[in-house]
Amino acid sequence: MADACALDPTRTLACRNTPEATHLKLIFTALIFFTSAVGISSPVFFARLFRNSPAYAHTLLLIKCYAAGVILSTSLVHVLPDASAALADGRVASRRPWRDFPFSGFVCMAGALVALLVDVATTSSSHLPKYGPIGRDEEEGMKGCAEQEAEQRFVLKVLEMQMIFHSVIVGVTMGMSQNVCTIRPLVAALTFHQIFEGMGLGGCIAQAGFNLGTTMSMCAMFSVTTPIGIILGMLIFYLTGYDDSSVNALISEGLLGSLSSGILIYMALINLIAADFFHNKAMSSKPWLKKASYTALVLGSVSMSLLVLWA
């Protein structure tokens, strides 16, 4: 697509329309706030409504597995390829050191290692086991339950911070862009992205059992981060005249995207997939639940991957 645009200067000029881009971004800011709020608050609302239902815990687990697939696909199918493409652009790849080393993969790996370091350090300081059995039998003591709840809440807070970091990067990148041909398809892709990711995070919040005030603040934080990132990106453009197609912009986009991808990969594989599939008593004792959870994981991955056709 980039090569086609490069060969068609007329189309390139038509795509770069600052007034139209500003109008689209203002509409998108309101839309993404609404979809983010609906996505993250729906599981919380239904969890409180059906808390005493026997299917409550199983439903939350399936939502969480679906979200893990969405997050894994987001990092590997959306974020990392875009970051690699930015660093592979001819204006960047023709220079040193960018032409001599695969920086997108390296920075992605660094992001995963940083996430691991933060996870290990904070878990060690809180004297909580990284993994404890999720779910408990009736005879288990309250002390074990409290440790599991504290660990679950800690993991959730770290996960939300990583999602917020990623959402701000996406928002700032879009806010600085003046290319309407790029912005239009992103509206559909990111709208579904925020709904799916919000549903997963909302399911985790409901499962962690926070009080109403904390739950509302976490939902609000997720809902506003991408809109705030878009507004911040627009301000950066208008104050600095920042050119999103410049070499420095491509390098920044590539490095930040690769770092974000590594963090999301770690969170999806370690704190969501591994925690549920290997340390959840309900799943290990009920083969049908494990099969349903794996199906939800695959569906989440596939549904998010298919959005790349419109992004």
Side-chain angles (χ1 to χ4, degrees):
M1 180 66 72
D3 292 339
C5 290
L7 294 173
D8 189 352
T10 303
R11 185 178 186 278
T12 301
L13 291 175
C15 285
R16 298 190 63 81
N17 187 325
T18 297
E20 185 178 354
T22 301
H23 179 69
L24 287 174
K25 284 182 283 189
L26 290 175
I27 295 175
F28 180 63
T29 299
L31 179 63
I32 200 64
F33 171 77
F34 175 75
T35 54
S36 299
V38 170
I40 195 170
S41 62
S42 295
V44 175
F45 171 76
F46 286 111
R48 290 183 174 272
L49 189 63
F50 300 106
R51 184 173 295 274
N52 297 323
S53 170
Y56 165 74
H58 294 163
T59 302
L60 284 183
L61 179 60
L62 293 176
I63 292 175
K64 190 176 178 184
C65 290
Y66 184 88
V70 169
I71 295 169
L72 188 62
S73 175
T74 297
S75 58
L76 291 172
V77 181
H78 291 259
V79 181
L80 187 57
D82 287 346
S84 300
L87 295 179
D89 185 275
R91 291 168 293 169
V92 177
S94 60
R95 302 183 179 190
R96 288 187 173 180
W98 310 106
R99 70 183 183 188
D100 300 323
F101 192 78
F103 278 96
S104 58
F106 178 78
V107 176
C108 177
M109 177 184 68
L113 292 176
V114 168
L116 172 63
L117 178 62
V118 172
D119 214 351
V120 170
T122 48
T123 304
S124 300
S125 65
S126 64
H127 304 290
L128 291 170
K130 175 58 194 168
Y131 289 119
I134 300 174
R136 64 190 184 95
D137 298 328
E138 292 297 325
E139 66 271 12
E140 288 184 336
M142 292 304 294
K143 181 179 179 181
C145 180
E147 282 183 358
Q148 293 162 20
E149 188 176 79
E151 167 67 9
Q152 199 172 49
R153 290 180 177 182
F154 163 75
V155 168
L156 176 59
K157 288 179 179 178
V158 174
L159 176 62
E160 183 172 46
M161 289 302 104
Q162 309 307 336
M163 287 185 176
I164 286 173
F165 174 69
H166 165 61
S167 296
V168 169
I169 291 174
V170 171
V172 170
T173 301
M174 169 169 277
M176 291 189 296
S177 177
Q178 307 305 309
N179 191 326
V180 295
C181 298
T182 300
I183 294 172
R184 286 195 188 105
L186 278 178
V187 172
L190 289 180
T191 296
F192 284 104
H193 172 273
Q194 292 300 105
I195 290 176
F196 292 150
E197 199 169 79
M199 286 176 61
L201 186 59
C204 296
I205 291 173
Q207 192 178 46
F210 288 109
N211 60 45
L212 182 60
T214 302
T215 298
M216 291 180 65
S217 64
M218 294 182 77
C219 291
M221 191 178 299
F222 175 81
S223 301
V224 302
T225 47
T226 302
I228 287 176
I230 295 172
I231 294 172
L232 180 60
M234 293 173 69
L235 288 174
I236 292 174
F237 172 77
Y238 287 114
L239 292 176
T240 66
Y242 184 81
D243 183 4
D244 62 298
S245 62
S246 67
V247 172
N248 289 336
L250 290 170
I251 292 173
S252 299
E253 179 184 345
L255 294 180
L256 290 174
S258 299
L259 183 67
S260 176
S261 177
I263 293 171
L264 290 174
I265 290 171
Y266 173 87
M267 299 306 294
L269 291 176
I270 304 301
N271 286 335
L272 293 176
I273 297 174
D276 282 329
F277 279 87
F278 298 107
H279 302 275
N280 190 308
K281 283 190 173 182
M283 192 181 290
S284 61
S285 63
K286 298 177 180 178
W288 71 266
L289 184 58
K290 180 174 288 188
K291 293 176 183 178
S293 299
Y294 184 79
T295 301
L297 175 66
V298 172
L299 287 175
S301 302
V302 171
S303 61
M304 196 64 207
S305 297
L306 289 176
L307 291 180
V308 80
L309 297 175
W310 296 275

